[in-house]
Amino acid sequence: MSASARELIIDLDAISANTAVLAECSASAALMAVVKADAYGHGLVPAARAAKAGGAAWLGVALLDEALALRAAGVDGPVLAWLLGVDEPWVDALEADIDLSVSALWTLDAIAAAARAAGRTARVHLKVDSGLGRSGAPQGDWPELVGAARRAELEGTLRVVGVWSHFAYADAPGHPTIDRQLAAFSEAIEIAEGAGLKPDVRHLANSAATLTRPDTHFDLTRPGLAVYGLSPLPQASPESLGLVPAMALQARLSLVKRVPAGHGVSYMHRYVTDRETTLGLVPLGYADGVPREATNVGPVLAGGRRQTIAGVVCMDQFVLDLGDDPASEGDVVAVFGSGASGEPTAQDWADAVGTISYEIVTRMGPRVRRRYVGGQP
Ligand SMILES: Cc1ncc(COP(=O)(O)O)c(C=O)c1O
């Protein structure tokens, strides 16, 4: 490890290899790597490049800003942005050749107006709410949206490149909503095609569906979490899916000291030593993304042994009770990683604090230095 007090090590080769596994799983469908939220905390541009090297023909982001940041960094190829507000820089989006998701007539109108102003043909993906109940046009509004999109196509202001939707419960294989959403999506496609639309790509499958439901792949799969080597399926380890977690969080002990039995540790003394012992101070706190809920439960690997955080996680630091283990300032503490060296995984952290691995990796703060390993020069 380098001399950094705290760092996230991102394995770009793992991202490429995971993408290749998912691309193979996607068989005849192309793959869109989802790189929103700074590529789930892994670094938007390096992760996007690594995913493309692994076979992602498409990239997907939530925000237009994220899509524009990819273009500003020179990342080319199709990029879809799907969480659009009323005051987006539509013309910038069209000039940057960003595909835009449309769930409502107002978005279609805004994009068509920008396309006329810019003298361009916009590329849009119409989104239907097949049952998630989040974004997407309600099924009752779908024929009207499709009809308006077809008229705009005939006018030359836009082209419907994609028709898409998103699952509510793909991480629970066999859940009845999966088949219901698949049927609703298939019906929405029929309606779109009946109105004269000929989308290049129909897409529905997130990581879980990419891995477990080939019948939902259509023309394009849309995995996020699995690209980063984490499992979306509670019953399956990354390893069993051929995936390798790409993010590791490490820090170096910044203080080691002996204290007597009965010594309160950290705010509110939520941990009290039961013997004379060694405390180790880890310079990572909730400002860095270590959940405060990890108080007295967060697992780490220190000195070759699994330890549990002692006491309250503070803004900048937490404490370990190292017993009589030899320890010195500068020793490496592995907070989470692939698990290959015995360290906890992001999934272990999610289980310990009652959340999902998505949240563990995306919440890492800006003070933690990012170090990229692997990848193409
Ligand atoms: C619309 C959409 N598609 C695909 C994904 C990727 O999902 P996952 O990370 O579960 O593969 C997400 C992530 O939340 C999403 O919001």
Side-chain angles (χ1 to χ4, degrees):
M1 176 180 173
S2 81
S4 188
R6 62 193 76 73
E7 67 177 357
L8 273 182
I9 301 158
I10 312 290
D11 182 347
L12 296 173
D13 288 341
I15 292 177
S16 299
N18 295 330
T19 308
V21 166
L22 294 160
E24 194 174 330
C25 209
S26 304
S28 61
L31 184 143
M32 174 189 289
V34 177
V35 294
K36 64 186 173 142
D38 201 28
Y40 291 44
H42 294 68
L44 174 68
V45 172
R49 291 214 168 97
K52 287 185 73 124
W58 288 70
L59 297 171
V61 291
L63 309 185
L64 194 46
D65 276 355
E66 297 174 315
L68 293 171
L70 285 168
R71 290 292 191 243
V75 177
D76 57 14
V79 174
L80 172 63
W82 55 69
L83 190 61
L84 305 170
V86 290
D87 51 1
E88 300 290 355
W90 301 110
V91 170
D92 293 354
L94 301 186
E95 285 175 349
D97 216 11
I98 309 294
D99 289 21
L100 300 168
S101 176
V102 171
S103 295
L105 283 174
W106 72 261
T107 324
L108 201 66
D109 291 344
I111 293 170
R116 278 181 221 111
R120 286 186 169 251
T121 303
R123 292 167 52 96
V124 305
H125 296 231
L126 297 184
K127 186 171 192 187
V128 63
D129 182 355
S130 59
L132 172 59
R134 201 173 66 176
S135 65
Q139 287 163 60
D141 296 351
W142 183 247
E144 192 188 0
L145 183 65
V146 157
R150 181 61 186 146
R151 284 192 296 282
E153 268 197 348
L154 292 172
E155 186 198 340
T157 46
L158 58 81
R159 190 161 84 78
V160 176
V161 172
V163 169
W164 74 300
S165 193
H166 191 44
F167 280 121
Y169 256 117
D171 51 355
H175 195 279
T177 58
I178 298 173
D179 286 338
R180 283 207 294 273
Q181 284 197 250
L182 179 57
F185 184 58
S186 302
E187 197 187 319
I189 292 168
E190 271 176 35
I191 292 170
E193 289 174 348
L197 297 178
K198 294 186 181 58
D200 302 340
V201 284
R202 302 156 299 166
H203 49 111
L204 177 62
N206 59 359
S207 293
T210 300
L211 291 162
T212 64
R213 291 289 300 252
D215 56 332
T216 66
H217 289 180
F218 293 91
D219 308 302
L220 183 64
T221 58
R222 218 174 52 238
L225 190 75
V227 166
Y228 309 103
L230 299 171
S231 171
L233 305 164
Q235 67 281 16
S237 66
E239 198 179 13
S240 71
L241 300 168
L243 305 172
V244 178
M247 178 188 285
L249 175 63
Q250 297 187 347
R252 287 175 177 271
L253 291 177
S254 57
L255 182 69
V256 173
K257 62 185 179 188
R258 287 296 280 180
V259 297
H263 200 289
V265 174
S266 193
Y267 292 130
M268 294 167 286
H269 291 174
R270 297 265 300 276
Y271 183 88
V272 178
T273 58
D274 60 2
R275 66 213 178 294
E276 182 184 320
T277 189
T278 298
L279 298 182
L281 192 65
V282 180
L284 283 170
Y286 58 79
D288 303 305
V290 175
R292 195 164 176 276
E293 295 81 357
T295 294
N296 281 333
V297 296
V300 303
L301 184 74
R305 200 201 290 265
R306 283 288 191 108
Q307 302 283 2
T308 302
I309 290 176
V312 165
V313 174
C314 309
M315 188 184 293
D316 317 298
Q317 50 199 297
F318 64 78
V319 179
L320 299 173
D321 179 349
L322 300 170
D324 293 328
D325 285 0
S328 322
E329 285 85 0
D331 285 358
V332 173
V333 175
V335 180
F336 64 80
S338 71
S341 307
E343 75 277 28
T345 61
Q347 186 61 51
D348 292 331
W349 268 77
D351 294 342
V353 305
T355 184
I356 51 177
S357 60
Y358 296 76
E359 191 182 0
I360 297 297
V361 290
T362 53
R363 64 185 298 160
M364 292 297 119
R367 297 193 308 186
V368 186
R369 201 188 90 171
R370 270 67 173 165
R371 180 157 65 91
Y372 293 95
V373 298
Q376 289 171 353

